[in-house]
Amino acid sequence: MKLHTIGYWGAYPKANEATSCYLIEDSNTKILLDCGSGALSKLQAKANLEDLDAVFISHTHTDHMADIYSLEYAMLILTQLGKRTRPLDVYVYTEDIASLTFEFPDVMRLHQLRLTDTVKIGSLMLTFSENIHEIPCCSIKVSNNKSKLVYSGDTGYTTALVDFAMAADLLLIECSFYRKQKGMMKGHLSSEEVADIATKAKAKHVVLTHFPHFGDILQLKKEVETVFGQSVYLAKEGFTFTI
Ligand SMILES: [Zn+2]
Ligand SMILES: [Zn+2]
């Protein structure tokens, strides 16, 4: 299984970059975890849009789904051009699925995610866990018969994530705040909290993402490594990790 970090900023994208979006590839299966602003443009450097099998949206904050409507237009055009012959399955974790509509439901098939769901897409299996955030938000586990990746979505500190991420081969985790800001915002993690979760979950590899627009993000990496005791990666353009 391969992770490509397509977008990794919180709130809004830096110039020529994107907010939360991750492409997971496994044999012939390609799925997206979140589809933030700027993601659709960046994604095309890594995949043909017509090859996407499904999209999973952790929550409805726009830094995680702004480009889903651009993706809808892409699916419409690609279908009209005969390059795509099936609808794209879009799974969204929200209490209010009725508030989300696609103009072209023939090309975008909307599904409401439930925490009890197990979704199978090609060779991948996906399960979900509740987070702590301003609105309903879930973490997502992607497994094949060899390895498992856990993506935190947005969350405050919760032991549910420790349990859910237990022994993950790769933990892709939001790191929105520096150590000194711990507790400033309930729905996001500081570097120290990330390190605590990664340590308790015994994550094999850790990739930090959902960066703040202040300070030096290299400092985030140092702060996590000091407590976690092993190196971690920062998501960035072109970053790919195979598990
Ligand atoms: Zn966010
Ligand atoms: Zn959010």
Side-chain angles (χ1 to χ4, degrees), residues 9-11 20 59 61 63-64 133 154 174 188 210:
W9 291 103
S20 294
H59 65 305
H61 279 159
D63 56 332
H64 297 256
H133 202 48
D154 284 1
E174 75 126 288
H188 291 286
H210 199 278

Side-chain angles (χ1 to χ4, degrees), residues 179-204:
R179 184 173 54 210
K180 63 181 181 204
Q181 295 170 301
K182 185 181 170 188
M184 267 181 66
M185 245 180 99
K186 264 191 183 160
H188 291 286
L189 294 170
S190 70
S191 57
E192 235 175 14
E193 291 169 323
V194 166
D196 184 82
I197 290 168
T199 304
K200 287 180 177 153
K202 301 182 174 67
K204 287 199 190 97

Side-chain angles (χ1 to χ4, degrees), residues 98-118:
S99 68
L100 297 173
T101 48
F102 287 120
E103 210 174 326
F104 307 103
D106 290 350
V107 298
M108 298 288 266
R109 197 158 50 191
L110 188 60
H111 305 265
Q112 180 164 20
L113 261 188
R114 292 191 174 76
L115 293 181
T116 50
D117 288 345
T118 297

Side-chain angles (χ1 to χ4, degrees), residues 56-166:
F56 292 82
I57 303 289
S58 64
H59 65 305
T60 55
H61 279 159
T62 51
D63 56 332
H64 297 256
M65 66 172 293
D67 269 13
I68 198 75
Y69 298 106
S70 306
L71 185 57
E72 178 182 20
Y73 272 95
M75 290 299 115
L76 177 70
I77 303 297
L78 291 168
T79 303
Q80 288 170 345
L81 293 175
K83 291 187 175 175
R84 190 166 171 100
T85 52
R86 58 192 166 129
L88 180 65
D89 288 305
V90 179
Y91 297 82
V92 183
Y93 188 59
T94 176
E95 272 174 343
D96 188 15
I97 199 82
S99 68
L100 297 173
T101 48
F102 287 120
E103 210 174 326
F104 307 103
D106 290 350
V107 298
M108 298 288 266
R109 197 158 50 191
L110 188 60
H111 305 265
Q112 180 164 20
L113 261 188
R114 292 191 174 76
L115 293 181
T116 50
D117 288 345
T118 297
V119 182
K120 218 174 164 313
I121 308 286
S123 53
L124 298 172
M125 202 179 74
L126 293 99
T127 53
F128 312 92
S129 172
E130 183 78 67
N131 285 347
I132 293 177
H133 202 48
E134 294 97 326
I135 59 169
C137 179
C138 68
S139 341
I140 301 173
K141 189 184 298 178
V142 188
S143 321
N144 63 11
N145 53 16
K146 212 175 115 230
S147 49
K148 59 184 173 190
L149 173 153
V150 172
Y151 165 50
S152 70
D154 284 1
T155 190
Y157 185 88
T158 168
T159 55
L161 181 55
V162 172
D163 296 338
F164 189 63
M166 194 55 71

